Short mmCIF file of all heavy atoms in Angstrom, two decimals:
data_model
loop_
_atom_site.label_atom_id
_atom_site.label_comp_id
_atom_site.label_asym_id
_atom_site.label_seq_id
_atom_site.Cartn_x
_atom_site.Cartn_y
_atom_site.Cartn_z
N ALA A 1 0.83 -1.19 -0.04
CA ALA A 1 -0.02 -0.01 0.02
C ALA A 1 0.83 1.21 -0.01
O ALA A 1 0.56 2.25 -0.68
CB ALA A 1 -0.92 -0.01 1.22
N THR A 2 1.97 1.19 0.79
CA THR A 2 2.83 2.36 0.89
C THR A 2 3.54 2.75 -0.42
O THR A 2 3.65 3.84 -0.83
CB THR A 2 3.86 2.23 2.03
OG1 THR A 2 3.15 1.93 3.24
CG2 THR A 2 4.72 3.45 2.20
N TYR A 3 4.12 1.62 -1.05
CA TYR A 3 4.96 1.81 -2.23
C TYR A 3 4.27 1.51 -3.52
O TYR A 3 4.87 1.59 -4.56
CB TYR A 3 6.23 0.96 -2.11
CG TYR A 3 7.08 1.47 -0.90
CD1 TYR A 3 7.04 0.83 0.31
CD2 TYR A 3 7.95 2.54 -1.07
CE1 TYR A 3 7.84 1.23 1.34
CE2 TYR A 3 8.79 2.95 0.00
CZ TYR A 3 8.72 2.33 1.19
OH TYR A 3 9.52 2.72 2.29
N ASN A 4 2.99 1.15 -3.40
CA ASN A 4 2.14 0.87 -4.62
C ASN A 4 2.84 -0.06 -5.56
O ASN A 4 2.99 0.15 -6.73
CB ASN A 4 1.84 2.21 -5.30
CG ASN A 4 0.75 2.04 -6.36
OD1 ASN A 4 -0.13 1.21 -6.22
ND2 ASN A 4 0.78 2.89 -7.40
N ASN A 5 3.24 -1.27 -4.98
CA ASN A 5 3.82 -2.31 -5.83
C ASN A 5 3.25 -3.65 -5.45
O ASN A 5 2.55 -3.81 -4.50
CB ASN A 5 5.38 -2.25 -5.64
CG ASN A 5 5.83 -2.69 -4.26
OD1 ASN A 5 5.29 -3.64 -3.67
ND2 ASN A 5 6.82 -1.93 -3.69
N ASN A 6 3.56 -4.56 -6.27
CA ASN A 6 3.01 -5.94 -6.06
C ASN A 6 4.15 -6.95 -5.83
O ASN A 6 3.99 -8.11 -6.04
CB ASN A 6 2.27 -6.44 -7.34
CG ASN A 6 0.92 -5.50 -7.47
OD1 ASN A 6 0.23 -5.30 -6.53
ND2 ASN A 6 0.69 -5.11 -8.68
N GLU A 7 5.28 -6.45 -5.29
CA GLU A 7 6.31 -7.32 -5.00
C GLU A 7 5.97 -8.33 -3.83
O GLU A 7 5.35 -7.90 -2.91
CB GLU A 7 7.59 -6.57 -4.60
CG GLU A 7 8.31 -5.92 -5.76
CD GLU A 7 9.65 -5.33 -5.31
OE1 GLU A 7 9.87 -5.32 -4.08
OE2 GLU A 7 10.40 -4.93 -6.14
N LYS A 8 6.32 -9.62 -4.10
CA LYS A 8 6.03 -10.52 -3.08
C LYS A 8 7.22 -10.80 -2.17
O LYS A 8 8.36 -10.46 -2.49
CB LYS A 8 5.62 -11.83 -3.78
CG LYS A 8 4.28 -11.79 -4.49
CD LYS A 8 3.84 -13.17 -4.99
CE LYS A 8 2.45 -13.15 -5.55
NZ LYS A 8 2.00 -14.49 -6.03
N CYS A 9 6.95 -11.50 -1.06
CA CYS A 9 7.99 -11.83 -0.16
C CYS A 9 8.61 -13.13 -0.51
O CYS A 9 7.97 -13.96 -1.16
CB CYS A 9 7.42 -12.01 1.35
SG CYS A 9 6.70 -10.54 2.02
N TYR A 10 9.88 -13.37 -0.17
CA TYR A 10 10.51 -14.62 -0.23
C TYR A 10 10.88 -15.09 1.18
O TYR A 10 11.89 -14.51 1.74
CB TYR A 10 11.76 -14.55 -1.14
CG TYR A 10 11.31 -14.06 -2.56
CD1 TYR A 10 11.23 -12.67 -2.90
CD2 TYR A 10 10.98 -15.00 -3.47
CE1 TYR A 10 10.86 -12.30 -4.17
CE2 TYR A 10 10.63 -14.63 -4.81
CZ TYR A 10 10.51 -13.24 -5.12
OH TYR A 10 10.15 -12.87 -6.34
N VAL A 11 10.18 -16.06 1.64
CA VAL A 11 10.33 -16.45 3.09
C VAL A 11 11.04 -17.71 3.13
O VAL A 11 10.58 -18.77 2.75
CB VAL A 11 8.92 -16.50 3.80
CG1 VAL A 11 9.09 -16.80 5.30
CG2 VAL A 11 8.14 -15.25 3.52
N LEU A 12 12.18 -17.72 3.74
CA LEU A 12 12.95 -18.95 3.96
C LEU A 12 12.65 -19.48 5.43
O LEU A 12 12.90 -18.75 6.43
CB LEU A 12 14.49 -18.75 3.82
CG LEU A 12 15.35 -19.91 4.20
CD1 LEU A 12 15.15 -21.12 3.20
CD2 LEU A 12 16.85 -19.53 4.16
N VAL A 13 12.19 -20.69 5.44
CA VAL A 13 11.90 -21.35 6.75
C VAL A 13 12.87 -22.49 6.84
O VAL A 13 12.84 -23.51 6.09
CB VAL A 13 10.45 -21.96 6.77
CG1 VAL A 13 10.17 -22.45 8.29
CG2 VAL A 13 9.41 -20.86 6.49
N THR A 14 13.78 -22.43 7.91
CA THR A 14 14.79 -23.49 7.96
C THR A 14 15.19 -23.75 9.39
O THR A 14 14.80 -23.01 10.30
CB THR A 14 16.00 -23.18 7.05
OG1 THR A 14 16.87 -24.28 7.01
CG2 THR A 14 16.84 -21.94 7.69
N GLY A 15 16.03 -24.73 9.60
CA GLY A 15 16.45 -25.18 10.95
C GLY A 15 15.75 -26.55 11.23
O GLY A 15 15.86 -27.48 10.49
N SER A 16 15.00 -26.49 12.32
CA SER A 16 14.37 -27.75 12.73
C SER A 16 13.26 -28.22 11.82
O SER A 16 12.40 -27.37 11.39
CB SER A 16 13.79 -27.56 14.18
OG SER A 16 12.98 -28.57 14.53
N LEU A 17 13.16 -29.49 11.61
CA LEU A 17 11.94 -30.00 10.78
C LEU A 17 10.77 -29.81 11.62
O LEU A 17 9.63 -29.76 11.03
CB LEU A 17 12.22 -31.49 10.53
CG LEU A 17 12.73 -31.90 9.17
CD1 LEU A 17 12.95 -33.33 9.04
CD2 LEU A 17 11.85 -31.47 8.05
N HIS A 18 10.86 -29.72 12.96
CA HIS A 18 9.68 -29.48 13.75
C HIS A 18 9.14 -28.11 13.53
O HIS A 18 7.88 -27.88 13.58
CB HIS A 18 10.01 -29.72 15.20
CG HIS A 18 10.41 -31.10 15.59
ND1 HIS A 18 9.53 -32.26 15.51
CD2 HIS A 18 11.63 -31.65 15.81
CE1 HIS A 18 10.12 -33.31 15.88
NE2 HIS A 18 11.41 -33.01 15.99
N LEU A 19 10.01 -27.14 13.23
CA LEU A 19 9.56 -25.83 12.84
C LEU A 19 8.82 -25.84 11.49
O LEU A 19 7.72 -25.22 11.36
CB LEU A 19 10.74 -24.88 12.81
CG LEU A 19 10.48 -23.42 12.25
CD1 LEU A 19 9.54 -22.65 13.18
CD2 LEU A 19 11.77 -22.66 12.03
N ILE A 20 9.42 -26.59 10.60
CA ILE A 20 8.79 -26.73 9.27
C ILE A 20 7.39 -27.25 9.49
O ILE A 20 6.46 -26.83 8.83
CB ILE A 20 9.60 -27.69 8.39
CG1 ILE A 20 11.03 -27.20 8.26
CG2 ILE A 20 8.92 -27.85 7.06
CD1 ILE A 20 11.22 -25.93 7.44
N GLY A 21 7.23 -28.30 10.30
CA GLY A 21 5.91 -28.89 10.57
C GLY A 21 4.98 -27.85 11.18
O GLY A 21 3.79 -27.84 10.79
N ALA A 22 5.45 -27.04 12.03
CA ALA A 22 4.52 -26.04 12.64
C ALA A 22 4.08 -25.00 11.63
O ALA A 22 2.86 -24.59 11.60
CB ALA A 22 5.30 -25.27 13.79
N VAL A 23 4.96 -24.61 10.68
CA VAL A 23 4.59 -23.67 9.63
C VAL A 23 3.57 -24.37 8.73
O VAL A 23 2.57 -23.73 8.34
CB VAL A 23 5.85 -23.27 8.83
CG1 VAL A 23 5.38 -22.45 7.57
CG2 VAL A 23 6.78 -22.37 9.73
N LEU A 24 3.79 -25.63 8.35
CA LEU A 24 2.88 -26.34 7.47
C LEU A 24 1.51 -26.62 8.12
O LEU A 24 0.51 -26.72 7.47
CB LEU A 24 3.47 -27.62 6.97
CG LEU A 24 4.54 -27.50 5.97
CD1 LEU A 24 5.31 -28.83 5.66
CD2 LEU A 24 4.04 -26.89 4.63
N THR A 25 1.52 -26.69 9.46
CA THR A 25 0.31 -26.83 10.22
C THR A 25 -0.70 -25.63 9.97
O THR A 25 -1.91 -25.85 9.86
CB THR A 25 0.49 -27.01 11.72
OG1 THR A 25 1.30 -28.20 11.96
CG2 THR A 25 -0.81 -27.10 12.52
N VAL A 26 -0.01 -24.48 9.80
CA VAL A 26 -0.84 -23.32 9.46
C VAL A 26 -1.06 -23.11 7.96
O VAL A 26 -2.22 -22.88 7.56
CB VAL A 26 -0.18 -22.01 10.03
CG1 VAL A 26 -0.96 -20.78 9.69
CG2 VAL A 26 0.06 -22.21 11.51
N LEU A 27 -0.08 -23.35 7.15
CA LEU A 27 -0.16 -23.05 5.78
C LEU A 27 -0.83 -24.13 4.92
O LEU A 27 -1.59 -23.92 3.99
CB LEU A 27 1.22 -22.86 5.14
CG LEU A 27 2.00 -21.59 5.68
CD1 LEU A 27 3.34 -21.50 4.89
CD2 LEU A 27 1.25 -20.30 5.39
N ASP A 28 -0.51 -25.42 5.29
CA ASP A 28 -0.95 -26.55 4.51
C ASP A 28 -1.12 -27.78 5.42
O ASP A 28 -0.33 -28.78 5.32
CB ASP A 28 0.08 -26.84 3.42
CG ASP A 28 -0.34 -27.97 2.53
OD1 ASP A 28 -1.56 -28.31 2.41
OD2 ASP A 28 0.54 -28.58 1.86
N PRO A 29 -2.10 -27.79 6.30
CA PRO A 29 -2.29 -28.86 7.31
C PRO A 29 -2.50 -30.23 6.79
O PRO A 29 -2.22 -31.21 7.45
CB PRO A 29 -3.46 -28.38 8.18
CG PRO A 29 -4.25 -27.46 7.23
CD PRO A 29 -3.20 -26.81 6.41
N HIS A 30 -2.95 -30.35 5.56
CA HIS A 30 -3.21 -31.68 4.89
C HIS A 30 -2.07 -32.08 3.99
O HIS A 30 -2.14 -33.07 3.26
CB HIS A 30 -4.54 -31.66 4.24
CG HIS A 30 -5.72 -31.41 5.15
ND1 HIS A 30 -6.05 -32.23 6.20
CD2 HIS A 30 -6.58 -30.38 5.16
CE1 HIS A 30 -7.11 -31.67 6.81
NE2 HIS A 30 -7.39 -30.60 6.25
N LEU A 31 -1.02 -31.23 3.96
CA LEU A 31 0.20 -31.53 3.18
C LEU A 31 -0.17 -31.80 1.67
O LEU A 31 0.25 -32.79 1.02
CB LEU A 31 0.96 -32.71 3.71
CG LEU A 31 1.41 -32.56 5.18
CD1 LEU A 31 2.22 -33.80 5.65
CD2 LEU A 31 2.29 -31.25 5.32
N THR A 32 -1.02 -30.91 1.17
CA THR A 32 -1.39 -30.97 -0.29
C THR A 32 -0.40 -30.33 -1.20
O THR A 32 -0.55 -30.44 -2.48
CB THR A 32 -2.75 -30.24 -0.45
OG1 THR A 32 -2.50 -28.83 -0.17
CG2 THR A 32 -3.85 -30.78 0.40
N MET A 33 0.66 -29.71 -0.66
CA MET A 33 1.67 -28.97 -1.40
C MET A 33 1.05 -27.72 -2.04
O MET A 33 1.71 -27.12 -2.92
CB MET A 33 2.35 -29.87 -2.53
CG MET A 33 2.82 -31.20 -2.09
SD MET A 33 4.12 -31.18 -0.88
CE MET A 33 5.63 -31.01 -1.94
N ASN A 34 -0.01 -27.25 -1.47
CA ASN A 34 -0.60 -25.96 -1.85
C ASN A 34 -1.07 -25.27 -0.59
O ASN A 34 -1.22 -25.90 0.43
CB ASN A 34 -1.78 -26.15 -2.78
CG ASN A 34 -1.38 -26.68 -4.14
OD1 ASN A 34 -0.77 -26.00 -4.98
ND2 ASN A 34 -1.70 -27.98 -4.43
N THR A 35 -1.25 -23.94 -0.66
CA THR A 35 -1.81 -23.26 0.42
C THR A 35 -2.83 -22.05 0.01
O THR A 35 -2.64 -21.60 -1.10
CB THR A 35 -0.68 -22.55 1.27
OG1 THR A 35 -1.23 -21.94 2.40
CG2 THR A 35 0.09 -21.59 0.47
#
């Protein structure tokens, strides 16, 4: 809104696989490979 652009974020999630699981629990709980 501030810069009037459509640039997207590039979010790296790394470290523990348990962290990856927590992120997927929110983004893709059924592990469909989509969100």
Side-chain angles (χ1 to χ4, degrees):
T2 302
Y3 294 97
N4 193 28
N5 65 43
N6 294 314
E7 283 188 352
K8 290 187 174 183
C9 298
Y10 298 89
V11 185
L12 176 63
V13 187
T14 192
S16 172
L17 263 176
H18 298 287
L19 173 65
I20 304 291
V23 171
L24 287 172
T25 297
V26 180
L27 295 181
D28 182 22
H30 302 295
L31 302 181
T32 63
M33 309 296 277
N34 293 289
T35 182

